[in-house]
Structure formats: C-alpha cells, structure tokens
Amino acid sequence: MKKKIRFYQSINTKIVFVIVLLLVFALQLIGANFTTQIERQLVANFQEDRQVQMSFLESAILPLLELEANNTEDNEVDPVQEINSLLADFSGSGITDLQVVNDDLVVVGTSDSTQQNIIGQLSDDVDLRQALFTESTVPRQVIDPVTNNRRWKVVEPVFSDADDGQFLGAILMESNIESVYAQISQITWIFLQSSAVAIILSLVLANMVSRALTKPIKEMQIQTRQIADGDYSGTLKVYGEDELGQLAGLINDLSDDVAEAQESIDAERRRLNSVLTHMTDGVVATDRRGKIIIINDMAQTMLERTDEEAIGENLLSVLNVEEEITLRTILEKQDDVLVNASEGGVATLLRASFSLIQRESGFISGIVCVLHDVTEQERIDEERKQFVSNVSHELRTSLTSMRSYIEALADGAWEDPELAPRFLEVTQNETDRMIRMIQDLLHLSRIDSGKSSLELEIVDITEMLDHVLNRFDMLIHSAEYETRNYRIHKELLREAIFVEVDPDRMIQVLDNIMNNAIKYSPDGGTITGRMQKTDDAVIISISDEGMGIPKADLNKIFTRFYRVDRARSRAMGGSGLGLAISKEVVEQHGGRIWAESKEGKGTTFYLSLPYVPFEEEDEWV
Ligand code: ADP
C-alpha cells in the first residue's frame, strides 16, 4: 500500500537537517571562541597603548609636579601652565579627558578647555582618591553618563624619583574604548555573514549529497512497490559496490525469485482450476465457518446453483442437511452424508464426503466437500436388493407348496390312488416352474454379463411369424384348449422380408408373446398377428382380446419379476421374467418392444426390428 512520506519524515530532510545542524553548532562554537579571543586581544592592545601613553605622560609631568610641590615663587616657569599645555598637546587621538591633580588632590591641569574653571579646585573623583590611598594604578571601564559610551579610565599615582618616593599627585586619563567594541562588532558581523553564506552553501551541498544518497533508495522503494503490485519486469540500476549497491542487487534477485514463485503458483492454480473444472465429482471448499469460497462446475450443476448464488452461503444449508449434521460433527468425524438433491422431479442422490483443510500447526482453516452422484449406484443397489428378494420369494413359494404336498403324500396320501397322482403332478409342475425360472435367470445373467452372443442369420421374418402362428393354431385346437374359443388370425405381408436375426432367440420372443396372449385371455378370443414394413424397420404386432393391462403397469411389465396379477401369473406357471428376457433379446438385435392395451378389451405387443430393404442390384455386388 502506498503511504505518503511527510516532508519532515523523509531521509533527505533528515540528512540535510543533521548536516546543517552540525555546521551551525560548529560555527557557534568557533564564533563564540573567536569573538571572545579577539575581544580580549583588542582590549588588551588598547589598554597597553594607553599604558605606554600614560608612562610617557608621567615622565613628562613628574618634574612639573615636583616644581609645583616645592611651590617656589621665583620659578621662571609656571608648572600649572606647563602641565595644561602638555595635556592639551596630548589630548586627541582617542584620549577624551586628561586631568592632573597634585598631592592634595587639587586639580592642576585638564585637557578639556571648556572646564578650565575646575583648575585649583579639589577633585571629587573616587578613582583618584583610591589611587591616592592604595598608591597604585586604578584601571577601570566606565560608562559615560551623557553619551552612554564605554570609556577606559586609568588613574596613575605619580611618585617622586627621590629616595623618599614622595607622592606628588596623580594623572587621570580617560579614553574612548567604544571604537574597539565597534571593531569587534564589525568582525562579528563579518563572521555572521560568512556563517550565513556557509550555511546556505552547506544546505545546497547537503541537499545534493543526500539526494545522491537517497536516489537509489527511492528507486528501490519504487521497485519493491512494483514487486508488491505483481510487476516483476523492472530491474534496479546498481550504482556501485557499496551497501546500497548490494541491496539493489539483492532486490533484483528477490524480484526474480518472487516472479518465479508467482509463476509456479499461477501454474499450480491453473492446474488446480482445470482439475476442479473437469472433475466428474462436485467439489466445494469453505472457510472455517462453513461459508463457501470455491465451488466447481460439477458441484454447481449438481446443486443447481451458480457460482454467485453459492459463494458466501453456508455449505450445510446449500446441501440442505442442516437437520442431520452440524459443522461440529463434521469437524469431529468426517462421516459421509447422503444428500437428496432431487429437483423438478429428477431424482438425484449425492454422497457428500468431508475432509478438513488443516495447517501444519493443526489449525483448521476450512472444509472440502466432495459430492459424488450416487443416484445410479443407489438405484442399482435397490434393484439388486429387490431382485434377491424376488428370487427368494419365488423359490420359497414353490418350495413351500411342494413341501406341503410331499408332506401330505408322506402322511399317507401316497396310498390314495386318486390323490397321489394329482399331488405328484403339482410337485412336478412346481419343479418345472422353478427349473424354468432358473433357466430364465441364467439366460438374463448371460445377457447382462455380455456372454450371450447372437448367432445371426438372414431369415425371412414373414415365414418365421407364419410358422409360429401356425404352431399356436395347432395348439389351440388341441384337447387342452378345446373348452375355450381361441382363433388365430393372420395379416401378414405377401412378400419375404429378410432380416438378420438369431432365429432361436427370435422364435423364443414370439412364443413368449403368443403364450401371454393365450394366458391372459381366459375367455378365449381372436389373436391377430400382423406385419408392417417401413423404410428402415419391420414391425410385427400380436393383439389379443384378453383382460388387458392397466395403464399404470404398461411400461413396468418389461421389468424383471413384474406381474400385474401375481396370483394369476403364478397359476399360469409364469415367473415374470418372460417379457424382461424378450426386451433384452430384441434390444440385442437393435430393435424395440412395447405394448398398447385397453383394460378388459385386449392388448397389442409391438416388435420392431431394423431392416434394410433388399434391392435387386445389391444381390450381385
Ligand atoms: P409372466 O411369466 O408373469 O407371464 P411376463 O414377463 O411374460 O411374465 O409378463 C409380465 C406380466 O405382464 C404378466 O404377469 C402379466 O401381468 C402382463 N401381461 C403380459 N402379457 C399380457 C397380455 N397379453 N395381456 C395382459 N397382460 C399381460
């Protein structure tokens, strides 16, 4: 994420700031030291100069003061006048005031021409008094009360050269020291100006240096941001072998590594996506709260939800199994759950298997649910169960009936000349029925396992049907059917229709339909065999005028063991497998079998077989 760096946070500012701060600190230190030293030196020089002038003046004034002290009237020279003219000569060049007092502190001379009136008066100057008492030089800086200027004031006591060293008076010298300070100020000002220039220059230089330093860092920043955004195309320029250069090199290597890793992750994701998309099982992945995050195409179809509808939904509510199972049970033991996903009349049963997505630490980050369509499997399972139950039932019924007759025979009925043959006949019939049923079952099992192959021949189907009908015509005229009034009617084509069939099997199918027509027409009636031909099929139909089949049962009669009236079928020795076998055989031939019926009126069975019309020229090809 891009975060704006504030001005004061940037490394650039920090470097510039530190450099300038250091410079200012150094300049401060140098400046303070430099100005104090200069000031001290200049002031010392000034004082020394004054001291030299003072010594010179002292040597000139000493004889005059001696003269004044002796006070001899006959002097040719007036010491006071001499002193004054000397002082007048001396003043100027920085010296603002000169005064000479005698040993009584009476002013005997002044350089100030406007103050000649103080001559002859007692001086009230404190420094003069101090010099008199301490008998030593009194140097002091004073402030001029009028101009506020600083002055350098020296009071020098004058002693006689004679051995007694008598105190003769004192000289007071005041000079303007302000010029020295002005000089110091000027020097300080020059120093400040150069400092300012130095700071500005260093600011520019520091900025340049820090920019040079931070440029590679900025580039690295941009590059790493690009890497974070998934753009690995850029390469950083390596400016040198220093730490920054090495870092840039490392970032380039890192970029390559990340690009490679990303590529392999992408490839992996694509592979996973394609596996998920093309899986025949449905796959749904959730987060740890059971909210769907991935759902593949198959799962969408199975659950009849689009991607958008399912994502974010709770897995259990989408599977509609909230009442049977909770997230907790899934987490504890990943049992399979059967999900009824029937929608719009289409029965669909799914088996949902759960597994956990676990990290190495054991933390469960989600659930994967694999959905397997078990509708067909369950149907087959159900059929198998039904089949076993049907077979057992059929066998048990026959065996129970046989057992009761055999028991009766064993109990003495065998001696009864009337009962014994009847009972034996029943057991024989039951045995026959069981044998027939087992044969039928074996036949079906052979067809199921694909072991029953057809022995195809080109057969004239018109002739075959005619033959079967004739055989049954003879049968209905036998003694057994004498009481009932059956009639067989034929509406066959007048031409030979050659079809490729297994004749034995096809006759078995026709026999079965004819047998049923007789069996289920208890009151007799006409049985009509018809034939019809289309461009690509020959259709045989056999109609009876029997009891008919209820509409609801019409498409069930071809399933194994299905009988409309179980008791009647049994009484007739049927097993409920005849039509099932017929259907399998016809389908083996690539044909179709179906029935139409009106309850109480009669039934028609249709049998269509593929047929390629025989053409003259084909014969010789
Ligand atoms: P079954 O051995 O019971 O005859 P099939 O498979 O041949 O077994 O027939 C299945 C069932 O279809 C019969 O039990 C009967 O209820 C019904 N069925 C078959 N043919 C006819 C028909 N021509 N008229 C009425 N019902 C029939």
Side-chain angles (χ1 to χ4, degrees):
M1 199 182 64
K2 190 170 171 168
K3 200 179 152 201
K4 186 104 182 84
I5 297 179
R6 303 226 174 98
F7 172 73
Y8 61 84
Q9 284 175 327
S10 92
I11 269 205
N12 198 15
T13 319
K14 282 180 188 163
I15 291 178
V16 173
F17 184 71
V18 166
I19 291 179
V20 171
L21 204 73
L22 279 176
L23 189 76
V24 168
F25 183 67
L27 284 174
Q28 274 283 321
L29 215 66
I30 295 168
N33 200 28
F34 178 70
T35 42
T36 353
Q37 290 291 338
I38 286 234
E39 182 180 340
R40 199 172 292 160
Q41 194 59 47
L42 286 177
V43 169
N45 285 352
F46 181 84
Q47 288 170 354
E48 227 167 78
D49 281 358
R50 295 303 97 117
Q51 204 55 52
V52 169
Q53 282 176 317
M54 181 59 99
S55 305
F56 183 70
L57 193 60
E58 191 187 352
S59 58
I61 281 187
L62 177 72
L64 295 171
L65 276 179
E66 262 176 347
L67 263 183
E68 204 268 341
N70 294 335
N71 207 10
T72 39
E73 288 298 323
D74 58 330
N75 271 351
E76 294 140 31
V77 280
D78 179 6
V80 175
Q81 203 182 339
E82 279 294 314
I83 287 172
N84 270 307
S85 73
L86 197 72
L87 290 184
D89 288 350
F90 227 92
S91 71
S93 67
I95 294 170
T96 51
D97 194 15
L98 279 170
Q99 263 183 46
V100 178
V101 293
N102 64 10
D103 51 350
D104 298 323
L105 291 182
V106 173
V107 179
V108 289
T110 174
S111 60
D112 192 346
S113 51
T114 59
Q115 295 220 328
Q116 291 298 321
N117 56 334
I118 61 163
I119 293 176
Q121 289 184 10
L122 195 66
S123 170
D124 57 353
D125 193 286
V126 264
D127 295 315
L128 275 173
R129 279 164 202 280
Q130 196 186 344
L132 177 69
F133 290 125
T134 54
E135 294 190 344
S136 61
T137 318
V138 177
R140 198 157 74 87
Q141 190 167 298
V142 294
I143 305 276
D144 190 318
V146 185
T147 57
N148 244 351
N149 282 342
R150 274 162 289 194
R151 297 264 169 94
W152 181 245
K153 183 178 176 187
V154 188
V155 179
E156 184 77 29
V158 183
F159 298 97
S160 147
D161 277 345
D163 291 341
D164 53 358
Q166 189 198 344
F167 176 72
L168 296 174
I171 307 167
L172 183 152
M173 179 191 277
E174 255 186 42
S175 51
N176 193 357
I177 198 172
E178 210 51 59
S179 63
V180 173
Y181 285 103
Q183 214 176 338
I184 292 168
S185 295
Q186 207 174 350
I187 289 170
T188 313
W189 178 237
I190 290 169
F191 180 79
L192 278 178
Q193 276 176 328
S194 344
S195 296
V197 171
I199 287 171
I200 290 167
L201 267 178
S202 78
L203 222 113
V204 173
L205 273 173
N207 200 28
M208 276 161 66
V209 167
S210 91
R211 264 179 208 284
L213 266 178
T214 50
K215 189 182 174 213
I217 298 180
K218 274 230 167 79
E219 286 176 4
M220 283 181 220
Q221 191 189 10
I222 292 166
Q223 177 69 4
T224 41
R225 188 167 292 143
Q226 275 178 355
I227 295 174
D229 290 345
D231 176 6
Y232 312 106
S233 57
T235 309
L236 274 176
K237 195 170 164 197
V238 179
Y239 289 98
E241 271 304 304
D242 59 359
E243 289 87 339
L244 285 177
Q246 284 184 1
L247 185 59
L250 283 176
I251 289 178
N252 282 340
D253 292 350
L254 187 72
S255 168
D256 292 346
D257 289 352
V258 173
E260 225 165 80
Q262 190 62 40
E263 215 166 274
S264 79
I265 289 173
D266 285 348
E268 203 60 46
R269 185 174 296 142
R270 275 198 298 279
R271 218 179 351 249
L272 183 69
N273 269 346
S274 123
V275 168
L276 280 179
T277 312
H278 295 107
M279 260 176 95
T280 49
D281 281 345
V283 178
V284 184
T286 75
D287 62 9
R288 54 194 304 263
R289 286 183 199 81
K291 297 260 179 290
I292 296 175
I293 46 175
I294 298 173
I295 177 162
N296 76 345
D297 293 0
M298 198 54 179
Q300 290 175 35
T301 317
M302 283 171 165
L303 299 170
E304 299 207 340
R305 289 197 191 217
T306 62
D307 215 359
E308 293 87 45
E309 282 168 352
I311 300 278
E313 290 292 309
N314 186 295
L315 173 67
L316 298 183
S317 71
V318 168
L319 295 179
N320 207 7
V321 289
E322 285 150 308
E323 281 155 29
E324 298 155 49
I325 192 167
T326 61
L327 219 51
R328 179 172 290 275
T329 29
I330 292 177
L331 296 182
E332 279 165 6
K333 49 181 177 138
Q334 293 92 50
D335 275 347
D336 289 358
V337 185
L338 268 188
V339 178
N340 188 353
S342 309
E343 198 111 354
V346 185
T348 314
L349 259 185
L350 304 174
R351 193 178 52 237
S353 321
F354 300 97
S355 54
L356 306 178
I357 310 171
Q358 248 168 331
R359 292 197 194 142
E360 257 171 49
S361 59
F363 178 81
I364 296 167
S365 57
I367 299 166
V368 171
C369 169
V370 177
L371 297 168
H372 190 67
D373 190 338
V374 289
T375 320
E376 187 62 13
Q377 204 174 317
E378 289 288 313
R379 190 185 60 78
I380 291 170
D381 223 37
E382 191 50 42
E383 270 181 15
R384 191 184 51 79
K385 280 186 207 151
Q386 192 63 43
F387 180 77
V388 172
S389 140
N390 280 335
V391 172
S392 331
H393 182 78
E394 290 300 326
L395 290 176
R396 202 185 55 203
T397 320
S398 293
L399 288 169
T400 317
S401 142
M402 275 169 68
R403 188 193 165 132
S404 56
Y405 282 103
I406 291 167
E407 267 173 7
L409 284 170
D411 285 348
W414 66 276
E415 282 173 320
D416 188 326
E418 239 183 68
L419 281 180
R422 259 181 51 212
F423 283 13
L424 281 173
E425 196 192 326
V426 172
T427 53
Q428 203 174 358
N429 284 344
E430 287 294 346
T431 317
D432 284 349
R433 212 172 69 82
M434 280 197 287
I435 289 172
R436 246 194 338 270
M437 189 181 85
I438 285 164
Q439 273 170 348
D440 284 351
L441 281 175
L442 283 173
H443 187 182
L444 274 172
S445 142
R446 273 204 306 278
I447 294 175
D448 285 348
S449 59
K451 282 184 191 144
S452 155
S453 55
L454 298 173
E455 285 176 22
L456 295 172
E457 286 173 29
I458 305 279
V459 178
D460 176 4
I461 202 85
T462 318
E463 194 199 316
M464 183 189 267
L465 182 61
D466 191 42
H467 174 77
V468 172
L469 291 173
N470 286 345
R471 194 153 40 79
F472 274 89
D473 199 31
M474 269 165 63
L475 185 78
I476 55 170
H477 289 109
S478 66
E480 197 186 339
Y481 294 97
E482 225 173 11
T483 50
R484 278 178 279 173
N485 187 19
Y486 287 112
R487 216 170 65 81
I488 288 192
H489 175 69
K490 291 192 264 184
E491 285 181 23
L492 307 184
L493 293 172
R494 287 181 199 282
E495 55 178 319
I497 303 281
F498 290 99
V499 181
E500 199 176 24
V501 292
D502 182 331
D504 288 348
R505 297 279 161 79
M506 204 42 73
I507 288 172
Q508 197 185 350
V509 171
L510 294 171
D511 276 358
N512 187 37
I513 297 173
M514 283 304 292
N515 262 325
N516 281 349
I518 293 171
K519 266 199 298 191
Y520 301 107
S521 307
D523 308 324
T526 308
I527 297 165
T528 314
R530 289 191 187 85
M531 264 183 92
Q532 219 179 319
K533 136 186 126 155
T534 67
D535 284 350
D536 57 356
V538 52
I539 301 165
I540 296 166
S541 69
I542 292 167
S543 315
D544 61 54
E545 295 173 348
M547 60 201 348
I549 303 166
K551 217 175 174 67
D553 297 304
L554 209 52
N555 50 11
K556 294 187 198 155
I557 51 173
F558 296 99
T559 44
R560 295 171 193 191
F561 293 108
Y562 192 85
R563 284 166 295 191
V564 178
D565 183 343
R566 204 168 259 268
R568 170 173 288 276
S569 160
R570 173 176 297 285
M572 298 290 184
S575 62
L577 292 171
L579 284 179
I581 293 176
S582 300
K583 183 172 183 265
E584 295 289 350
V585 171
V586 172
E587 282 175 1
Q588 260 185 313
H589 281 86
R592 215 159 67 78
I593 185 169
W594 70 100
E596 282 172 5
S597 181
K598 259 208 176 103
E599 232 183 320
K601 288 266 162 57
T603 310
T604 306
F605 278 88
Y606 294 92
L607 203 149
S608 109
L609 289 170
Y611 155 68
V612 184
F614 178 80
E615 285 181 21
E616 291 285 310
E617 54 266 36
D618 282 356
E619 202 176 349
W620 307 108
V621 172

